[in-house]
Amino acid sequence: MEIRTVGVIGAGQMGNGIAHVFALAGYQVLLNDISPDALSKAIAVIERNLDRQVTREKISQEDKTAAMGRIDTTTTLTDLGPLDLIIEAATERETVKTAIFEDLQPHLRPETILTSNTSSISITRLASRTDRPEKFMGLHFMNPVPVMQLVELIRGIATDEATYKTMLGVVESLGKTAASAEDFPAFIVNRILMPMINEAVYTLYEGVGNVRSIDESMKLGANHPMGPLELADFIGLDTCLAIMNVLHDGLADTKYRPCPLLTKYVEAGWLGRKTSRGFYDYRGDTPVPTR
Ligand SMILES: CC(=O)CC(=O)SCCNC(=O)CCNC(=O)[C@H](O)C(C)(C)COP(=O)(O)OP(=O)(O)OC[C@H]1O[C@@H](n2cnc3c(N)ncnc32)[C@H](O)[C@@H]1OP(=O)(O)O
Ligand SMILES: NC(=O)C1=CN([C@@H]2O[C@H](COP(=O)(O)OP(=O)(O)OC[C@H]3O[C@@H](n4cnc5c(N)ncnc54)[C@H](OP(=O)(O)O)[C@@H]3O)[C@@H](O)[C@H]2O)C=CC1
């Protein structure tokens, strides 16, 4: 099946990045969120990130103008009904994702492919709640989407070969590289990355290091581009906690126990960069560690 039109649900940091790369690759994009505010913020972020690519001579001014012209927004989910491909990138909560697919389903064409950008939740389970498990896949982009090369492709137990091949072609058309992962909790990248981040929070919780020394150690000692706590703030602490809970519940092993300090930050509403406070406080000119 040829994909030309794409609906992106959830206009947070991942949704805006996904809309950005699809529009730049020539797809017509309709971006949906429950909040009109989130949609206008997303358009402003996309414009800023495209400008950055123009300044760095990665794309031309004409490419930018054409990409912006290919993105429309809507707060009405059912407007996405006639599109070829749906990418759900709403909050990492299974009930939210299931409700979105249930609401959208009666308005879809039979051939439309459904995907989720979930970081951790079972694709088979999400697919089983739809009328087309064979046309359902995990399409997992990395943050920041315009920069990161990898997209994980996750087949549910019922996903058919035609859907997989179509999505492989879509990933290639974006200039990105696909990696296939089996449908087990958190797939490949987050199965490995998130326990490391959780361990960094334990290292802080147990007083082995402070925020700055933990991040400096991993940047200078292991050549990571960001320290684990800085990266956790960048991903969103609510998302990190949600992924740890999926690992803990899904694999039933105490080694995935979310650190109580991570839970405390989320309970405080200190979710990282998106709320201007997490392991660092971003409200001033430079980030200040909170511990
Ligand atoms: C949770 C999940 O489910 C899965 C995940 O996504 S896990 C998270 C995965 N992501 C990571 O691990 C990111 C780790 N961090 C990094 O790789 C780097 O810090 C970074 C790429 C984010 C920034 O790199 P940096 O060197 O500090 O910044 P900077 O020099 O400004 O940017 C590097 C490049 O990215 C571009 N860039 C950075 N952010 C961008 C954005 N949001 N949009 C577009 N371009 C962006 C810059 O323009 C620059 O491009 P060029 O090299 O082509 O000139
Ligand atoms: N952050 C990351 O690094 C990565 C995240 N992901 C995954 O991508 C998804 C989105 O994450 P991210 O962008 O970081 O999260 P954000 O919190 O930045 O954005 C989520 C957006 O979805 C909106 N939303 C919530 N419910 C609905 C709904 N019913 N319909 C439409 N929009 C809705 C939220 O609105 P409101 O704020 O009003 O609730 C918010 O604007 C998650 O599944 C996450 O696990 C995947 C790769 C990397």
Side-chain angles (χ1 to χ4, degrees):
M1 173 183 176
E2 201 189 342
I3 306 289
R4 288 206 193 92
T5 56
V6 180
V8 180
I9 303 167
Q13 53 184 340
M14 294 308 289
N16 81 54
I18 294 167
H20 171 140
V21 297
F22 272 90
L24 207 49
Y27 295 89
Q28 199 64 41
V29 177
L30 186 53
L31 180 59
N32 160 262
D33 200 285
I34 36 178
S35 141
D37 214 39
L39 287 171
S40 38
K41 266 195 214 143
I43 292 297
V45 171
I46 294 170
E47 175 135 42
R48 210 167 54 234
N49 284 333
L50 285 167
D51 276 336
R52 186 192 337 217
Q53 288 176 304
V54 173
T55 308
R56 301 205 185 203
E57 298 180 349
K58 300 280 169 195
I59 62 170
S60 67
Q61 184 62 44
E62 294 70 45
D63 295 333
K64 179 207 152 181
T65 309
M68 288 305 292
R70 289 190 201 105
I71 305 175
D72 287 315
T73 61
T74 181
T75 51
T76 310
L77 182 65
T78 53
D79 288 348
L80 275 57
L83 306 182
D84 301 330
L85 169 66
I86 301 295
I87 305 169
E88 173 280 312
T91 311
E92 186 74 347
R93 204 172 310 129
E94 190 162 341
T95 49
V96 169
K97 295 183 186 296
T98 305
I100 288 172
F101 288 119
E102 276 173 3
D103 290 348
L104 186 58
Q105 198 163 281
H107 307 275
L108 294 171
R109 290 185 291 127
E111 59 275 26
T112 297
I113 293 178
L114 298 180
T115 63
S116 174
N117 184 52
T118 179
S119 297
S120 59
I121 298 168
S122 163
I123 298 303
T124 300
R125 209 160 56 230
L126 289 174
S128 74
R129 301 288 297 271
T130 74
D131 61 354
R132 60 194 71 198
E134 71 289 351
K135 289 192 186 318
F136 193 107
M137 281 198 64
L139 181 69
H140 184 213
F141 288 85
M142 307 295 138
N143 186 14
V145 183
V147 180
M148 304 298 281
Q149 189 58 34
L150 186 79
V151 181
E152 278 183 297
L153 284 179
I154 307 108
R155 278 177 272 202
I157 201 164
T159 309
D160 66 23
E161 194 59 18
T163 302
Y164 174 73
K165 286 222 170 92
T166 301
M167 292 316 301
L168 196 57
V170 167
V171 170
E172 282 165 4
S173 75
L174 302 174
K176 297 201 181 284
T177 305
S180 282
E182 289 298 320
D183 184 23
F184 289 102
F187 322 123
I188 296 174
V189 171
N190 284 323
R191 171 75 179 262
I192 298 167
L193 179 69
M194 218 35 83
M196 184 204 68
I197 287 178
N198 193 48
E199 201 58 31
V201 186
Y202 270 113
T203 309
L204 178 66
Y205 177 65
E206 291 169 7
V208 182
N210 60 29
V211 168
R212 213 183 280 285
S213 65
I214 291 167
D215 276 350
E216 285 293 303
S217 298
M218 293 308 286
K219 279 199 286 190
L220 302 180
N223 256 5
H224 290 194
M226 286 177 168
L229 301 172
E230 184 189 1
L231 181 58
D233 275 359
F234 182 64
I235 291 167
L237 303 189
D238 52 340
T239 303
C240 293
L241 180 60
I243 298 168
M244 285 312 298
N245 278 323
V246 169
L247 281 166
H248 193 223
D249 295 346
L251 297 170
D253 190 327
T254 52
K255 77 177 175 183
Y256 300 112
R257 192 169 60 106
C259 179
L261 185 60
L262 179 60
T263 306
K264 195 196 286 274
Y265 270 76
V266 174
E267 284 172 351
W270 293 14
L271 306 183
R273 277 185 177 272
K274 62 184 166 187
T275 56
S276 298
R277 209 162 7 167
F279 292 113
Y280 294 85
D281 186 334
Y282 300 93
R283 291 172 299 170
D285 290 341
T286 50
V288 178
T290 53
R291 287 178 100 80

